[in-house]
Amino acid sequence: MQVSSRKPVIEKYMTQDNLVEQLTVAHNQLAKHATNVHKFGGSSLASTQCIERVVDIIRQHCQLNDIIVVSANGKTTDALFAIFQCAIEQSPELEEKITQLENMQSELINSLLNAASAARLQSYLTEDIKQMKAWLSDQPETHHADILAFGELWSARLLSSVLNERVCPAIFMDARDFLVIDNEQEYNVDYSVSRPGFEAKLHANHLTVVTGYICRDSQSVTRTLGRNGSDYSATIMAAISHANQVTLWTDVDGIYSADPRFVPQSRKLHRLPNGVAKELGRLGNPVLHANTLKPLADGKTHLHVASSFDPSVPGTEIGRFGQLAKQELSVTYLNDLILAQSQSFIGDLGREAGETFAALCADETQGLIVIRQEQQKAVSQWLAAHDTEVAFTPVSILATVGHKVTRQGNVKAKFKRTLRHQKVLAVVDAWSGHSVIAILSEPCSVELLNNVHHDMTKDAKHIGLVVAGLGNIGVKFLEMLPKQLARIPALENLHLVGLMTSKKALINTDGIDASHALSLFEQHAVSFDKALLSSWLKSHPYDELIVVDITPSEKFSQLYLEFFKEGIHVICANKWAASAPTPKYNELLAEAKANNSQWLGSTTVGAGLPINYAIQDLLKSGDQICEISGIFSGTLSWLFETYDGSVPFSTLLLDALEQGITEPDPREDLSGRDVQRKLLILARAAGFELSLEDVERQDLVPNELQAMTTEEFLANASQIDDFFATQLNEAKTSQACIRYIARFNVKDGKIKAKVSLECLSKNDAFATITPCDNIFQIRSLWYQENPLIIRGPGAGRDVTAGGLHSDLVTVCQNLANKQAVVKIKGLE
């Protein structure tokens, strides 16, 4: 979507200190129209360049009245922790560290704002540093949270000022002015106080930039929400404002099936059910955190995780989904934990202990719970009240996580098999039902994590299939699909998710029952346009997407470039793209290669005959093709194999039209254009660069009949009879026959390509074939004197649909071993 290039209208207003320029409500620079919450983490706001990127994201993805939640810029919180520690230790480095932090903030301010705004924020920063020094010099422990809060305060103040200058009206809010929690252990929000407090401070038609991570308690004492608490802040703000959607903009473009920093083969989980996401956060997922999903318990708000470093890449959506999303599995781990075993942990008291200490896993039948190291003392004190002995053992956990995975006996059995050589103390079902957890006596190594992830997720890739074109061949393709899915292992993870014609489409991200695809299309298809299709394709929730184009549409083929840019694979019977002008064709090849998109079109020539495969195999083997020739049109094959002069050619033509052998306008066949395109496609497949204009074509339709309507041509078809009668009689005098032949050859570096009516000896390989068959002849270094010949039906719904299925299996086999490269942009 393009942002308006109009010149922004500026409104000037007075703050307490300065005159400030602000974009007016009516003339803002935002592009979206939905009320949502967006959170930007510290890495997304780490530098001037990062903040510029965030401003662009806000411009494209936000609307007035949206809420922006921010973390402290970059490593600011770490710097504040270090400063606090220096104060506690009375380190001589304290003043230097404060100066470094102040300079870093000043550089951000001066690089992003105009002089007046920069001066205003600089004055606020000076006062804040002065206040910080005062707290650090006098009982710093009392003001620990206040000192840490400066990071978020500075970040929100700066971003709101930048937005006011460049994008739209914006205000910043210090969350401590309205957000109230009970304590820094449970982090429960008092919504009865927080919601009206927030609403009282809202400015209509403004973006609201809110500090993440910080809040206050009922005594108005500053509190924090723990490390990575800004994500929790974002979902709290969604609950307070009743937002429909929360987007966490971070340095990774989604949630993965394992930590991508350590598991290169991890897969992006495009859609996660709420319960599974919550379980991942509880068990150590590096992006999701334990409290993040608490405010979204009602399931009405969807959570998205996306990359601020590459906002065009679809991220992960968390919410309510169907069965396809519920099939996902992932693996996570945590080291440095404690296994506590006690008689008091058996039965109801064990469940009470697990809930009290938010145990990572527990088994009340065996009397054990797994806790974090810092909880050991509290557990000892709790058990002392019950006068019970306890044994503590250092452990780690490794878990496989998925929707109701504890009910899936096959998954649990596989998980146990992968750990059969490890020192496993116990395997426990999570109370949520969404994870099976192994308690290990030794730390979980990266090698073990990778091995278990491979074994648990190697068959989990989801491939979406979209079928465009529901004519005779499309219907047959769909009729064949259910049996193919059931019997071909390569198609095990393939899901039919889209059906479309030129006017309607049925898209279902949870899959379309292939056995009832056509009836479902009739019942549920809706009108669509290119914009809607493009929007869906850019955000489809699959590891891979394959589009099968069974249309004759040049317009649809023009979408291939967009498909390839999105990494989508194309299988086509449509000839337009493969015979496009050379610059366009080369652009398509380059884009497909750049984005690892596969483009197969075996049925563009020869229907189900393996002519394309034969050419590819010869080239891969090191052979060089020097000639391709044959009869490439089933229609012309039938006409000239059947025409013997006993009836006029026009009578035969009308009979072929009646039988459906020709196109509705037979001139399409007689023009030779179809054969011309097929010869070009094969020549290109053989590695030669040429255009359609390079292929000489004999049109069998007289000039005077070419401009007529179809009805007029059919009424005057007898005008072609004399020409064909003459050609046939001349051939007969030489004991020969006439055939419409395609020929391509290269000799001494010179290329010659032509499609035309030829007089052939009756001993010629092309002279006697079954009517409607195609025949292809290839000469190469290896097949010179005795050429390679492929012959058979070159048209027909069954063989063409079968050829498309052959391509589909090939693509899925190639994708089976494809691995995506995960880039954690914020760490580069």
Side-chain angles (χ1 to χ4, degrees):
M1 183 177 294
Q2 297 296 315
V3 179
S4 171
S5 59
R6 66 180 182 271
K7 185 177 181 181
V9 175
I10 301 296
E11 177 180 272
K12 296 184 178 181
Y13 67 98
M14 290 295 297
T15 67
Q16 184 176 358
D17 304 301
N18 286 291
L19 178 69
V20 176
E21 293 183 341
Q22 178 186 22
L23 288 166
T24 66
V25 171
H27 296 87
N28 69 81
Q29 295 293 293
L30 297 169
K32 291 288 181 179
H33 301 282
T35 301
N36 298 307
V37 175
H38 296 259
K39 177 261 176 179
F40 294 96
S43 60
S44 298
L45 298 161
S47 65
T48 299
Q49 182 182 9
C50 290
I51 295 173
E52 295 281 11
R53 191 183 297 117
V54 165
V55 170
D56 285 338
I57 291 172
I58 291 172
R59 185 181 286 114
Q60 293 292 331
H61 294 270
C62 295
Q63 184 205 318
L64 296 174
N65 300 320
D66 274 4
I67 299 167
I68 312 296
V69 177
V70 296
S71 298
N73 303 101
K75 301 294 184 181
T76 299
T77 300
D78 289 338
L80 289 166
F81 266 109
I83 287 169
F84 175 80
Q85 195 61 36
C86 283
I88 294 296
E89 298 171 358
Q90 297 183 341
S91 169
E93 296 179 355
L94 176 61
E95 191 66 33
E96 180 184 352
K97 288 187 178 297
I98 293 175
T99 300
Q100 289 174 350
L101 178 60
E102 183 176 12
N103 289 341
M104 183 190 77
Q105 292 296 318
S106 295
E107 288 174 9
L108 288 175
I109 290 170
N110 292 318
S111 66
L112 289 162
L113 296 173
N114 63 35
S117 296
R120 178 169 55 89
L121 261 65
Q122 189 65 54
S123 68
Y124 293 151
L125 176 63
T126 300
E127 289 299 315
D128 290 341
I129 295 296
K130 182 179 179 181
Q131 178 64 75
M132 181 196 302
K133 289 180 177 179
W135 284 335
L136 290 170
S137 65
D138 183 20
Q139 297 182 328
E141 297 92 339
T142 306
H143 299 286
H144 183 218
D146 292 299
I147 293 168
L148 296 179
F150 278 126
E152 274 64 28
L153 186 67
W154 295 335
S155 180
R157 186 187 289 157
L158 175 59
L159 184 59
S160 65
S161 297
V162 174
L163 294 175
N164 268 315
E165 280 190 9
R166 306 188 196 177
V167 182
C168 66
I171 60 168
F172 92 89
M173 286 191 192
D174 186 334
R176 292 173 294 182
D177 292 339
F178 62 87
L179 181 56
V180 179
I181 65 168
D182 55 358
N183 57 64
E184 287 187 315
Q185 286 75 47
E186 302 298 329
Y187 303 111
N188 293 316
V189 178
D190 187 342
Y191 288 101
S192 65
V193 175
S194 301
R195 184 173 287 117
F198 171 72
E199 292 173 348
K201 293 183 176 298
L202 274 177
H203 288 203
N205 295 318
H206 283 63
L207 272 181
T208 302
V209 182
V210 181
T211 55
Y213 177 61
I214 59 175
C215 55
R216 64 178 171 88
D217 61 20
S218 58
Q219 305 303 311
S220 295
V221 175
T222 296
R223 301 295 183 187
T224 67
L225 296 173
R227 280 288 193 168
N228 302 300
S230 292
D231 288 353
Y232 185 30
S233 297
T235 53
I236 290 171
M237 293 309 305
I240 287 176
S241 62
H242 304 292
N244 293 323
Q245 180 173 299
V246 181
T247 301
L248 305 179
W249 296 95
T250 182
D251 52 15
V252 181
D253 62 0
I255 309 298
Y256 282 76
S257 55
D259 189 335
R261 294 172 298 181
F262 307 118
V263 183
Q265 294 184 354
S266 58
R267 296 171 48 252
K268 187 190 297 185
L269 306 176
H270 296 274
R271 295 182 299 163
L272 274 179
N274 285 313
V276 177
K278 185 176 181 180
E279 187 71 357
L280 279 172
R282 192 179 72 83
L283 295 177
N285 182 274
V287 177
L288 290 170
H289 303 287
N291 289 318
T292 301
L293 285 116
K294 281 172 57 176
L296 309 181
D298 61 4
K300 294 179 181 179
T301 303
H302 271 212
L303 177 65
H304 294 253
V305 177
S307 171
S308 63
F309 294 86
D310 198 352
S312 64
V313 175
T316 296
E317 183 178 3
I318 297 166
R320 293 180 175 176
F321 305 108
Q323 288 303 312
L324 191 55
K326 292 176 181 177
Q327 295 174 21
E328 296 284 14
L329 290 176
S330 57
V331 175
T332 189
Y333 78 104
L334 283 172
N335 287 330
D336 302 322
L337 303 175
I338 296 291
L339 170 64
Q341 294 175 286
S342 170
Q343 289 295 312
S344 290
F345 294 151
I346 297 176
D348 293 340
L349 202 57
R351 179 170 284 271
E352 179 186 339
E355 293 173 350
T356 299
F357 297 103
L360 293 160
C361 63
D363 188 332
E364 58 266 36
T365 63
Q366 298 183 59
L368 61 85
I369 64 173
V370 174
I371 57 174
R372 299 180 187 276
Q373 288 183 346
E374 61 268 22
Q375 295 176 297
Q376 182 174 346
K377 182 178 179 181
V379 170
S380 295
Q381 293 172 342
W382 189 85
L383 286 170
H386 299 83
D387 194 26
T388 308
E389 292 185 356
V390 59
F392 292 112
T393 307
V395 295
S396 65
I397 62 170
L398 180 63
T400 185
V401 184
H403 181 75
K404 299 299 181 184
V405 73
T406 59
R407 300 179 185 176
Q408 301 177 41
N410 59 326
V411 175
K412 293 174 66 176
K414 182 189 290 187
F415 184 53
K416 290 179 180 179
R417 284 198 303 272
T418 65
L419 295 169
R420 60 186 179 277
H421 300 304
Q422 307 302 318
K423 296 179 180 179
V424 179
L425 301 178
V427 177
V428 179
D429 290 349
W431 288 335
S432 70
H434 296 313
S435 69
V436 181
I437 304 169
I439 304 172
L440 308 177
S441 61
E442 297 178 351
C444 178
S445 66
V446 171
E447 180 182 8
L448 176 60
L449 178 64
N450 275 271
N451 289 339
V452 172
H453 175 270
H454 175 265
D455 289 344
M456 297 306 299
T457 67
K458 61 183 177 182
D459 300 321
K461 181 177 289 186
H462 292 298
I463 303 172
L465 173 66
V466 176
V467 178
L470 302 182
N472 285 335
I473 297 171
V475 168
K476 186 62 181 179
F477 178 88
L478 291 171
E479 288 175 354
M480 296 170 64
L481 185 59
K483 287 185 178 179
Q484 291 289 99
L485 293 174
R487 68 188 179 191
I488 306 296
L491 305 183
E492 180 180 4
N493 299 313
L494 185 74
H495 308 276
L496 179 64
V497 298
L499 298 168
M500 60 185 61
T501 63
S502 59
K503 296 181 179 179
K504 289 189 173 183
L506 171 61
I507 302 292
N508 187 335
T509 50
D510 283 318
I512 299 168
D513 183 351
S515 300
H516 301 93
L518 293 170
S519 60
L520 290 170
F521 181 83
E522 290 296 325
Q523 296 171 38
H524 303 295
V526 297
S527 299
F528 83 106
D529 57 24
K530 177 184 174 182
L532 287 173
L533 175 63
S534 297
S535 175
W536 183 81
L537 291 177
K538 288 179 179 179
S539 57
H540 70 84
Y542 304 100
D543 298 291
E544 307 286 350
L545 189 69
I546 302 170
V547 174
V548 179
D549 178 9
I550 320 177
T551 75
S553 169
E554 181 180 12
K555 186 176 180 181
F556 191 83
S557 74
Q558 292 168 352
L559 297 174
Y560 290 7
L561 186 65
E562 188 171 341
F563 295 162
F564 295 151
K565 287 181 178 178
E566 299 300 326
I568 295 168
H569 313 285
V570 174
I571 296 169
C572 62
N574 186 331
K575 302 176 185 65
W576 286 102
S579 60
T582 299
K584 183 66 176 179
Y585 176 73
N586 288 338
E587 183 183 15
L588 289 170
L589 290 178
E591 199 66 50
K593 182 178 180 180
N595 294 286
N596 296 314
S597 295
Q598 296 184 61
W599 179 16
L600 274 68
S602 297
T603 58
T604 55
V605 184
L609 296 177
I611 179 61
N612 278 281
Y613 283 114
I615 290 173
Q616 293 168 17
D617 188 61
L618 290 175
L619 296 180
K620 285 190 297 184
S621 302
D623 200 357
Q624 295 179 23
I625 294 171
C626 58
E627 182 182 315
I628 302 172
S629 58
I631 296 173
F632 297 177
S633 166
T635 299
L636 297 181
S637 168
W638 187 91
L639 285 171
F640 291 112
E641 285 288 343
T642 307
Y643 181 50
D644 60 6
S646 60
V647 298
F649 191 84
S650 61
T651 301
L652 197 64
L653 184 68
L654 294 175
D655 182 28
L657 175 63
E658 183 71 23
Q659 294 183 53
I661 295 174
T662 74
E663 293 291 334
D665 185 343
R667 289 175 297 181
E668 286 297 313
D669 299 297
L670 294 175
S671 70
R673 282 190 290 265
D674 182 59
V675 179
Q676 181 189 30
R677 288 186 177 279
K678 290 177 178 177
L679 184 60
L680 174 63
I681 290 170
L682 293 184
R684 284 174 167 174
F688 297 96
E689 184 170 295
L690 66 163
S691 297
L692 198 62
E693 297 76 19
D694 299 322
V695 181
E696 185 181 341
R697 173 177 60 89
Q698 181 183 4
D699 194 326
L700 300 181
V701 181
N703 292 335
E704 59 270 20
L705 299 182
Q706 292 181 10
M708 292 181 177
T709 65
T710 303
E711 293 74 15
E712 290 171 341
F713 167 72
L714 295 175
N716 291 276
S718 60
Q719 294 183 31
I720 65 176
D721 290 340
D722 288 346
F723 169 78
F724 288 107
T726 300
Q727 298 298 313
L728 179 64
N729 289 332
E730 289 179 357
K732 283 182 175 180
T733 61
S734 304
Q735 299 296 307
C737 61
I738 55 173
R739 300 289 185 265
Y740 197 83
I741 306 298
R743 293 191 187 276
F744 166 87
N745 63 70
V746 57
K747 188 174 183 181
D748 299 327
K750 293 182 179 181
I751 293 174
K752 185 176 180 180
K754 182 179 182 179
V755 296
S756 63
L757 193 65
E758 294 187 13
C759 180
L760 302 178
S761 165
K762 289 187 178 180
N763 295 323
D764 193 287
F766 303 153
T768 306
I769 62 174
T770 304
C772 283
D773 273 7
N774 282 186
I775 184 168
F776 301 91
Q777 179 174 276
I778 299 174
R779 293 187 187 275
S780 68
L781 292 180
W782 300 348
Y783 294 90
Q784 191 61 250
E785 299 302 324
N786 189 15
L788 173 64
I789 293 179
I790 297 173
R791 171 181 164 176
R797 65 196 297 263
D798 290 6
V799 293
T800 305
L804 289 165
H805 273 288
S806 175
D807 279 353
L808 181 61
V809 171
T810 298
V811 171
C812 290
Q813 288 174 334
N814 293 339
L815 292 176
N817 298 315
K818 177 182 175 183
Q819 298 295 335
V821 177
V822 182
K823 288 188 176 182
I824 304 175
K825 300 289 182 68
L827 300 183
E828 291 182 347

